[in-house]
Amino acid sequence: DTGVSQDPRHKITKRGQNVTFRCDPISEHNRLYWYRQTLGQGPEFLTYFQNEAQLEKSRLLSDRFSAERPKGSFSTLEIQRTEQGDSAMYLCASSFEGPEQYFGPGTRLTVT
Amino acid sequence: AQKVTQAQTEISVVEKEDVTLDCVYETRDTTYYLFWYKQPPSGELVFLIRRNSFDEQNEISGRYSWNFQKSTSSFNFTITASQVVDSAVYFCALSEEKRDDKIIFGKGTRLHILP
């Protein structure tokens, strides 16, 4: 399967711990997007990369959040000092420019 | 400002009935794209359709059809002869070429198809 993959699929962590999620985009897709979806809401844009460059960050991305895309391939999203409000589904999508984004299955984070 | 409004939070219909999900959008861009996604209980987003702003042709795919009207900034989705498997949350979404195609989602409509 050559779709977008995300790891882990589920993560339960205690408040104050750091977590890191990984996204592997479709091969050769140069754009990679992160979205967050809280219960009962639509996904909200967090940040995106064109190759290895992070070009835009949403106001939702507090300074506890950091994303990287070394070498323009996979991406990681780290949340430091997690809070209960960080509990959400974190979705990754990739595209080869243009509007067509392919979404991964998401990582569901629960902060206890 | 870009915005997608799905006024219907939740809809319940009996199986085999037709149902229309409403979507209204706001954008200042002249080149934009509209989407519908389905999100079943598993959580994965399933792409259903994309329409370009310069193509107002309606589309039909099996039991699904979409009505795009620029005059009213609407992009409605109709399921004909609904089935229980259609039960899911449906999201309407918008992306703009000038904003690097990041997608703005509506809040979704939860559709219950009752047997």
Side-chain angles (χ1 to χ4, degrees):
Chain A
D1 184 37
T2 57
V4 178
S5 61
Q6 293 187 244
D7 184 68
R9 296 290 305 276
H10 302 273
K11 178 72 177 178
I12 300 173
T13 191
K14 292 186 177 178
R15 188 163 50 98
Q17 298 294 305
N18 299 343
V19 294
T20 300
F21 310 140
R22 177 180 170 123
C23 171
D24 285 89
I26 292 172
S27 179
E28 296 178 0
H29 275 193
N30 58 345
R31 285 188 177 176
L32 187 149
Y33 301 80
W34 284 99
Y35 296 83
R36 181 173 72 183
Q37 184 179 17
T38 54
L39 207 59
Q41 302 294 316
E44 295 173 289
F45 169 79
L46 289 179
T47 186
Y48 99 96
F49 293 83
Q50 175 115 353
N51 300 311
E52 64 274 11
Q54 188 173 18
L55 296 187
E56 187 175 346
K57 292 193 285 189
S58 159
R59 290 171 301 161
L60 293 175
L61 216 63
S62 76
D63 54 9
R64 296 184 298 105
F65 288 70
S66 63
E68 294 183 340
R69 193 184 182 197
K71 302 178 185 177
S73 56
F74 72 91
S75 175
T76 58
L77 178 67
E78 181 184 16
I79 309 174
Q80 296 183 327
R81 305 180 305 280
T82 52
E83 301 172 357
Q84 286 189 321
D86 297 331
S87 295
M89 174 81 91
Y90 291 84
L91 293 160
C92 174
S94 71
S95 72
F96 185 69
E97 302 189 355
E100 203 75 50
Q101 291 183 26
Y102 296 82
F103 282 85
T107 294
R108 188 175 295 279
L109 173 66
T110 303
V111 181
T112 60
Chain B
Q2 338 122 283
K3 189 176 178 183
V4 176
T5 302
Q6 295 180 256
Q8 303 149 310
T9 306
E10 203 158 344
I11 301 175
S12 293
V13 300
V14 177
E15 197 174 18
K16 296 183 185 175
E17 286 185 356
D18 299 347
V19 57
T20 295
L21 308 183
D22 297 333
C23 173
V24 174
Y25 64 91
E26 293 176 33
T27 177
R28 292 180 189 162
D29 209 343
T30 54
T31 302
Y32 55 90
Y33 307 93
L34 296 166
F35 305 83
W36 276 96
Y37 287 88
K38 175 181 180 180
Q39 189 172 47
S42 61
E44 200 153 342
L45 275 175
V46 178
F47 168 81
L48 295 178
I49 190 172
R50 182 194 83 202
R51 299 303 291 172
N52 305 332
S53 55
F54 43 85
D55 182 4
E56 272 192 85
Q57 259 193 330
N58 292 328
E59 183 155 336
I60 298 175
S61 176
R63 296 184 296 107
Y64 295 171
S65 62
W66 291 270
N67 185 341
F68 177 23
Q69 292 197 334
K70 286 177 82 168
S71 60
T72 55
S73 297
S74 66
F75 186 44
N76 296 338
F77 171 33
T78 297
I79 301 175
T80 304
S82 59
Q83 299 176 2
V84 172
V85 293
D86 296 326
S87 297
V89 180
Y90 290 86
F91 292 99
C92 180
L94 163 75
S95 72
E96 299 167 322
E97 189 178 66
K98 287 183 182 174
R99 291 182 180 270
D100 293 330
D101 300 316
K102 67 181 182 188
I103 297 178
I104 306 299
F105 287 84
K107 292 192 174 182
T109 297
R110 183 175 296 277
L111 178 63
H112 300 278
I113 308 298
L114 308 172

